[in-house]
Structure formats: structure tokens, C-alpha cells
Amino acid sequence: MNIRLLTANEIECRVQTVKKNGCSVLLYKDARCDMRILDETFGVLGWQRTHELINGNLFCNVSVWDQDKGFWIVKQDVGTESNTEKEKGQASDSFKRACFNLGIGRELYTAPFIWINLGPNDIKENNGKYYPAITFEVKEIGYNANKEIDRLVIVDNHGVERYRLGTQLPSPTKTQKTLSEAQIKRLYALGKKAGRTQEKIQEEVYKRYHCKPLELTKQQYDVVCEGYEKIGAKNDKD
């Protein structure tokens, strides 16, 4: 029974705690990943999943067929409720935990404490509580001979590297002004042709890049202008 290690695109990042200067991140796998690896390792007909209630708690049994021994090997674990869908959350969580017992994704237990520094553009505040304005994903991961994580790179949803195992990355600072007044006037003019007010343009820029129009990089500026140009041209034709 040779269960492979998780690849970078199979691992997801979940923000655990958020403070004004940064956040901690946990690595996890979802149930679809477990099912895919079970299919790969044991075949579609080589495993099965059942659930049962024990003392009011929902347990999952994941059974895999051992060809050499000629019988089913069963791994069991209990699930916890989710914040949204109680029964579905328990079923999914118990299944993922049972798969951990089987060895799928067990390498995630070797993950280090992950702290990502956040800058002013990365944080939202509501009633004194802080929330990340960006998301994260694993770009690279590697393992040593003991199946322990020894390489880990995490990027944000803009592709910017935010964490590298063994390296202290600097804290982000507020994006500095990069565009000229003439460029900003052109941006607003193109936005107006596309049916956007200045307030709407500012809202759309912040939603996409988490900064003010004046703080866009040249590359981001070109993308936004091109988008408004296409919408404006379509409006002219209509």
C-alpha cells in the first residue's frame, strides 16, 4: 500500500487567526482530494465508505481491500460539526480524518507554524476585528526522506510570495504612488466611457488589487485601462 504525498495544488490554505500585522495559516486537504487518491491507490472498486452514529457522534469508516490478505482493512474516525451545514460538515470531516488515519495527507502534520506578515492593503477591519483582504495558496512543497515537509512556498492571490520555509520575508508596506496624474485622468476618462463613475472605478480597482487607482503598478494600470477600453468600444457599437 503505497500512498503518495500531496502535491502543491492539492493543499489549501486556511487563515486561522488575524492580527493587525499578520495572520497564521493552516494547511489542509479537502474530501475530493482524498477520494482521488483512494481511486488512484486502490482503484474505484477497491475502497468503500460508510458512516455510523456512536453515542450521538457521526463516525466514518473507510475500508480498503488488501489483495494479499484477502480482506478489508478499516480505518475509523469521528467528525466535528461545521459552522454552516451540520450533518454534511460532520460527514466530510469524519471522512477526511479517517483518510488521515489511512495515511493520506499525514505529512501535513509536519507543517511548521506559518505566520504571514500583512500590510495595510492586506487587512480589512470591522468593529475592531481584522480580516484578510487577500487569499493564499501553496505554490511549492517538498518532502524529505521521512515524508516531512522541508520546502514550502505560499503566495497570495496576486501571485506575490508571502511565505517561504526557513526565510524571513519583510513586512509589506503600503503601496506607494506609481502613476502620474495624466495616467489617472486617462483611467477615469476610459472608465467614464465604460459607464463607470470615479467612485465605481475606485471600488473596482480596490476589489481587484486592494489599492487606490493612484497606487496601481504600471502592469495593473494597463490591464484596467484595456478592460475599460473594451467595454467602452462595445458600448459605442451598441
Side-chain angles (χ1 to χ4, degrees), residues 1 8 10 17 32 37 65 81 95 122 126 139 156-157 202 215 218 221 223:
M1 186 173 66
E10 291 176 320
T17 59
R32 290 183 295 274
I37 293 179
W65 180 253
E81 298 177 6
F95 173 64
D122 303 326
N126 185 18
K139 182 180 180 182
D156 63 25
N157 53 301
Q202 292 167 1
E215 299 166 346
K218 181 61 168 62
Y221 169 79
V223 171

Side-chain angles (χ1 to χ4, degrees), residues 16 38 67 75 77 86 126 135 142 147 164 215:
Q16 184 182 32
L38 285 168
Q67 188 65 42
K75 298 293 183 178
D77 213 324
K86 179 179 176 180
N126 185 18
T135 57
K147 298 184 178 181
R164 179 177 288 269
E215 299 166 346

Side-chain angles (χ1 to χ4, degrees), residues 50-60 77-80 86-95:
T50 59
H51 290 272
E52 60 180 314
L53 277 173
I54 302 177
N55 295 328
N57 296 312
L58 186 64
F59 283 74
C60 179
D77 213 324
V78 66
T80 58
K86 179 179 176 180
E87 290 80 9
K88 184 179 179 181
Q90 279 187 297
S92 178
D93 189 59
S94 61
F95 173 64

Side-chain angles (χ1 to χ4, degrees), residues 185-220:
K185 286 182 180 179
R186 176 172 177 262
L187 173 62
Y188 283 138
L190 290 171
K192 185 176 181 180
K193 285 192 66 176
R196 267 65 166 179
T197 63
Q198 286 194 15
E199 291 75 15
K200 185 63 176 177
I201 293 170
Q202 292 167 1
E203 178 186 326
E204 291 179 339
V205 166
Y206 188 83
K207 184 176 181 180
R208 183 166 186 177
Y209 295 111
H210 305 292
C211 67
K212 299 176 182 178
L214 198 63
E215 299 166 346
L216 288 167
T217 65
K218 181 61 168 62
Q219 183 180 11
Q220 293 168 342

Side-chain angles (χ1 to χ4, degrees), residues 1-235:
M1 186 173 66
N2 186 21
I3 296 175
R4 66 171 175 80
L5 299 170
L6 299 179
T7 60
N9 63 354
E10 291 176 320
I11 301 171
E12 300 189 41
C13 297
R14 177 185 295 137
V15 174
Q16 184 182 32
T17 59
V18 185
K19 296 185 178 180
K20 191 174 183 179
N21 64 331
C23 64
S24 62
V25 172
L26 298 176
L27 304 181
Y28 73 101
K29 59 180 175 61
D30 63 21
R32 290 183 295 274
C33 173
D34 290 317
M35 289 186 275
R36 182 167 56 250
I37 293 179
L38 285 168
D39 286 346
E40 290 176 11
T41 309
F42 305 101
V44 176
L45 302 179
W47 68 277
Q48 57 186 1
R49 164 188 180 180
T50 59
H51 290 272
E52 60 180 314
L53 277 173
I54 302 177
N55 295 328
N57 296 312
L58 186 64
F59 283 74
C60 179
N61 302 305
V62 174
S63 306
V64 297
W65 180 253
D66 189 314
Q67 188 65 42
D68 295 332
K69 295 183 176 65
F71 58 75
W72 292 94
I73 296 175
V74 183
K75 298 293 183 178
Q76 182 187 75
D77 213 324
V78 66
T80 58
E81 298 177 6
S82 67
N83 293 326
T84 52
E85 298 177 272
K86 179 179 176 180
E87 290 80 9
K88 184 179 179 181
Q90 279 187 297
S92 178
D93 189 59
S94 61
F95 173 64
K96 289 185 289 184
R97 287 170 180 262
C99 289
F100 265 125
N101 291 338
L102 197 59
I104 300 176
R106 195 176 294 173
E107 59 272 20
L108 295 183
Y109 287 129
T110 71
F113 173 73
I114 302 170
W115 178 262
I116 296 179
N117 293 319
L118 298 177
N121 293 326
D122 303 326
I123 288 284
K124 296 184 291 185
E125 183 180 358
N126 185 18
N127 295 325
K129 293 185 178 181
Y130 296 100
Y131 303 89
I134 53 177
T135 57
F136 305 101
E137 63 182 53
V138 176
K139 182 180 180 182
E140 299 176 20
I141 193 164
Y143 309 95
N144 61 23
N146 295 321
K147 298 184 178 181
E148 299 167 331
I149 296 172
D150 64 359
R151 187 177 78 257
L152 180 62
V153 177
I154 295 175
V155 299
D156 63 25
N157 53 301
H158 302 300
V160 178
E161 185 174 315
R162 307 304 295 265
Y163 176 88
R164 179 177 288 269
L165 182 61
T167 302
Q168 182 66 39
L169 298 181
S171 298
T173 57
K174 191 171 180 63
T175 309
Q176 300 299 310
K177 174 182 174 180
T178 60
L179 301 179
S180 67
E181 296 297 333
Q183 288 173 312
I184 291 299
K185 286 182 180 179
R186 176 172 177 262
L187 173 62
Y188 283 138
L190 290 171
K192 185 176 181 180
K193 285 192 66 176
R196 267 65 166 179
T197 63
Q198 286 194 15
E199 291 75 15
K200 185 63 176 177
I201 293 170
Q202 292 167 1
E203 178 186 326
E204 291 179 339
V205 166
Y206 188 83
K207 184 176 181 180
R208 183 166 186 177
Y209 295 111
H210 305 292
C211 67
K212 299 176 182 178
L214 198 63
E215 299 166 346
L216 288 167
T217 65
K218 181 61 168 62
Q219 183 180 11
Q220 293 168 342
Y221 169 79
D222 290 340
V223 171
V224 174
C225 285
E226 182 181 357
Y228 285 148
E229 277 186 308
K230 288 181 179 179
I231 296 173
K234 185 176 182 299
N235 289 344

